[in-house]
Amino acid sequence: MTILPLAKDTIKVYKEQDVVLLRNRVKEHAVRIKMGLVNQTKLITAASELVRNMLRYGGGGEVLIEVISRGRDNGVRLSFKDKGPGIADIKKAMADGFSTGKSLGLGLPGTKRLVNEFDLKSEVGKGTTVTIIKWANG
Amino acid sequence: MDRIPILKMGHFLLVTIQVDLYDRLAMDLEADLVKMVSKTGAKGVLIDISAVSIVDSFMGRIIGNIASMSKLLDAETVVVGMQPAVAITLVELGLELPGVHTALNVEKGMELLQGMIVADDVELEEDDDITLS
């Protein structure tokens, strides 16, 4: 089934305080499409993890928030785009417990478990884009 | 600058987090709490997160750090009031909070801390008996 974008919003994230703004904006969109509280919490937590990665490893970037529809289901799609160093070994980055920084290494694999769709594209030297989708009833 | 207040109540320190934390605020809380435990000789730290709608891995790590550091200063940490949606999300994220005690609400958390202190006292008395005999 095709996915139609209904509304979009872009937020630039270059400092820590922007994270709170992003979380609030994501929540507003999720509430508008009547996403349940548990799914909302998962989506916002996922966004929080990804935006932190973007700040720490990618030097910040832009987040595109879209409200999308597929048949009768609505959802939120988030794209995190940075122009950082990129990820050399995506397979390794997606493994539980792996981290090049001093974190727990839960960020990427953990985030994938919280959302319905997860896509990571990265080119060394050019940057990384992570796209996630959470359906209201997913 | 923002600061999360730490209240002293008998042997315990009480923290109620009323806002969604950003990183700096969480790290300041960690440092402030550990200093306060050392300064007051508190036996327990109770953290109420009932108003927190998001706990991500960073925030989880801060809570874990607070518990381990307090433990080194001989204080137990109890986290209370976690929202069900937050608990579900934490488990799916794969985050465990080792060394952190939890209770449903502030009242139950206080009981838990008091219980742990009483247990400590009993142990101390028993030790005394041994040295006397």
Side-chain angles (χ1 to χ4, degrees):
Chain A
M1 214 176 291
T2 49
I3 293 175
L4 297 168
L6 299 177
K8 63 177 170 184
D9 203 354
T10 310
I11 295 180
K12 289 184 166 59
V13 181
Y14 288 100
K15 56 184 195 299
E16 233 180 67
Q17 279 85 342
D18 298 338
V19 172
V20 177
L21 176 77
L22 173 81
R23 291 202 290 224
N24 292 341
R25 203 62 70 81
V26 171
K27 189 177 174 81
E28 278 167 32
H29 287 285
V31 168
R32 202 168 302 152
I33 61 165
K34 298 190 172 64
M35 188 180 281
L37 185 62
V38 172
N39 280 348
Q40 264 181 50
T41 306
K42 287 182 186 176
L43 173 67
I44 302 167
T45 306
S48 192
E49 297 287 339
L50 292 175
V51 82
R52 179 162 290 121
N53 278 351
M54 194 170 85
L55 274 175
R56 184 174 302 156
Y57 302 109
E62 269 185 13
V63 183
L64 175 66
I65 307 173
E66 289 172 292
V67 173
I68 53 173
S69 101
R70 183 183 60 178
R72 302 175 105 180
D73 208 2
N74 287 337
V76 175
R77 178 164 62 194
L78 303 175
S79 309
F80 301 79
K81 194 176 283 186
D82 70 56
K83 294 193 171 71
I87 301 171
D89 191 340
I90 292 181
K91 211 173 150 193
K92 218 170 173 183
M94 289 303 297
D96 258 320
F98 176 80
S99 170
T100 53
K102 280 181 185 153
S103 68
L104 298 169
L106 288 169
L108 290 176
T111 305
K112 192 177 178 186
R113 285 193 288 269
L114 293 177
V115 295
N116 299 117
E117 277 164 56
F118 182 101
D119 179 62
L120 190 154
K121 286 194 175 64
S122 188
E123 215 176 316
V124 173
K126 292 209 168 144
T128 304
T129 301
V130 183
T131 307
I132 55 172
I133 296 177
K134 187 83 190 165
W135 297 107
N137 302 312
Chain B
M1 219 181 96
D2 296 335
R3 266 281 190 288
I4 294 172
I6 301 170
L7 310 176
K8 185 172 180 294
M9 236 182 100
H11 295 295
F12 309 130
L13 297 179
L14 193 62
V15 179
T16 302
I17 303 175
Q18 298 279 10
V19 290
D20 276 326
L21 295 172
Y22 50 87
D23 298 9
R24 187 77 251 159
L25 197 56
M27 286 157 77
D28 285 347
L29 174 66
E30 178 186 298
D32 289 351
L33 251 179
V34 176
K35 277 184 214 148
M36 273 287 267
V37 170
S38 160
K39 206 169 94 186
T40 62
K43 288 282 163 199
V45 176
L46 188 136
I47 305 173
D48 174 26
I49 59 165
S50 55
V52 175
S53 54
I54 298 295
V55 176
D56 59 12
S57 62
F58 181 83
M59 174 73 186
R61 186 154 53 112
I62 294 281
I63 293 176
N65 284 353
I66 289 173
S68 333
M69 293 174 190
S70 303
K71 186 81 200 167
L72 288 175
L73 299 173
D74 195 26
E76 298 289 340
T77 302
V78 179
V79 170
V80 305
M82 186 182 291
Q83 292 179 17
V86 171
I88 294 169
T89 303
L90 277 183
V91 170
E92 283 203 21
L93 191 60
L95 192 71
E96 291 165 24
L97 297 172
V100 180
H101 302 281
T102 53
L104 201 56
N105 52 38
V106 173
E107 200 179 348
K108 295 225 161 75
M110 276 294 181
E111 280 170 22
L112 183 64
L113 278 177
Q114 249 136 21
M116 285 190 273
I117 284 199
V118 170
D120 262 7
D121 286 347
V122 172
E123 267 174 43
L124 284 178
E125 278 164 24
E126 280 170 1
D127 285 352
D128 286 347
D129 288 346
I130 293 165
T131 46
L132 283 173
S133 59

